[in-house]
Amino acid sequence: TMREIKFRGQRVDNGEWVDGYLLIDDEHSRIWKTCIYHKDEFVPVIRETVGQFTGLQDKNGKDIYEGDEGVLSSEMVGVEGDGFKGVVVYLECCFYVDSGFNGHQLWSDAYQFEITGNIHDK
């Protein structure tokens, strides 16, 4: 099966996260979202908050997007303590958990990843 291609971003008007198809024009980033009753709505989002869906879910069943912060279980990555903490990034055709000094591919270990936040929610 093909993975679902979608994006997420924070609404300009209230900061809530929305997901859907991405439309970028010269002035705005927008998430295209299908609303109830088959009415399509274009929702303006903050360009810097837009992140792509990885096609994966964390150990709690939550969709993982670029910019999500989280922890990989320590047994999976061979580190001591609370696990490998980092941010989901897209690099060289792959999604990684990037700690700033080291990276770990997400695709094989997503089931051991737990989202703790997002870099834009601070």
Side-chain angles (χ1 to χ4, degrees), residues 9-92:
Q10 286 182 307
R11 294 176 63 116
V12 170
D13 59 356
N14 62 16
E16 287 183 18
W17 288 100
V18 292
D19 62 26
Y21 298 102
L22 179 65
L23 169 68
I24 298 178
D25 61 27
D26 290 340
E27 298 179 21
H28 304 91
S29 293
R30 294 186 175 146
I31 294 290
W32 179 80
K33 186 174 182 181
T34 302
C35 296
I36 201 165
Y37 303 118
H38 304 291
K39 291 185 179 178
D40 295 339
E41 177 186 14
F42 287 95
V43 180
V45 298
I46 302 166
R47 183 178 295 240
E48 296 76 26
T49 67
V50 172
Q52 187 175 1
F53 177 47
T54 63
L56 303 167
Q57 293 181 330
D58 78 351
K59 69 182 197 176
N60 298 314
K62 188 173 179 182
D63 288 350
I64 304 172
Y65 286 85
E66 285 179 278
D68 283 340
E69 294 174 314
V71 180
L72 271 169
S73 147
S74 56
E75 328 55 90
M76 296 305 295
V77 292
V79 297
E80 301 271 332
D82 296 333
F84 184 85
K85 297 176 185 176
V87 176
V88 177
V89 297
Y90 184 76
L91 179 65
E92 298 176 359

